[in-house]
Amino acid sequence: MIELDGVGRVFRSRSGEVEALRAIDLTVADGEFLAVIGRSGCGKSTLLRLVAGLLTPTAGRVTVGGTPIAGPRPDIALMFQRPALLPWRSVLGNVLLPLELRGRVRPEHRERAQSLLDAAGLAGFHRRLPHELSGGMQQRVALCRALIQRPSVLLMDEPFSALDALTREELAGQLQQVHMEMRPTTIFVTHSIQEAVLLADRVAVLSSRPGRVQRIITVDIPRPRSFGRNAHLTDVAARVAELTDLLHATDAALPLLDTKPI
């Protein structure tokens, strides 16, 4: 579904060059949930923006569904670290915005937006303005806005990082349900090893800048997953511990690729 073939990205300015990514080879299967983790500055967000069509690679190519990415596409939704809601629009109006920008809001779209909001725990808040909501509620609105067009690809750039721990876990649980029901092909950038283990089918670990794929690890744990007391708690804890050790290791100690389940 998503393929990055020898992808590199260099940022150039008057002060010099910064090589953010180098020789990224990565495939994300249709309906797969891939988490991307790595140290700060390793190019995780740059990778996401390349897939979204907001940046162009300086080497290699990015394709989605076999078509090269040449710019933003309606079947690719991007959710940022901050909800970026328009403060003068209602919750419902913010969710419908992508459709309005394409000039095609119909009654069934409004019904879908309302259903998404209700499923996200926002029944009764459709007419509220963003400043009347908590941070977690605002991110739920942003998730509904990303899903309103039924995207085949969902890109998420640390969407829960500004939230408290309990709210993050609640939203991670909701995202699990969304993925199990809708099956969008998802790339989820995070600094949180716990989030990666809770959500992903596989975790791609990037090296320090320039970012390269150092290891891809399969997380073979039945869903739904949680940190609460359940049959898979030991497995979740073991994966978190292994990924923590992996990120603490030096880049030189990491093998180029390891796809075995852990």
Side-chain angles (χ1 to χ4, degrees), residues 8-12 17-21 56-59:
R9 173 67 194 195
V10 176
F11 292 95
R12 297 181 174 91
E17 295 185 349
V18 175
E19 186 180 15
L21 295 171
T56 56
T58 50

Side-chain angles (χ1 to χ4, degrees), residues 30-31 112 116 119 143-144 146-154 174-186:
D30 189 22
R112 172 166 168 75
L116 284 170
L143 178 59
C144 292
L147 296 173
I148 189 64
Q149 297 187 92
R150 302 181 187 272
S152 58
V153 173
L154 180 60
Q174 183 180 348
L175 183 55
Q176 282 189 77
Q177 289 301 125
V178 166
H179 189 260
M180 287 189 292
E181 292 169 8
M182 300 179 64
R183 303 298 297 175
T185 304
T186 303

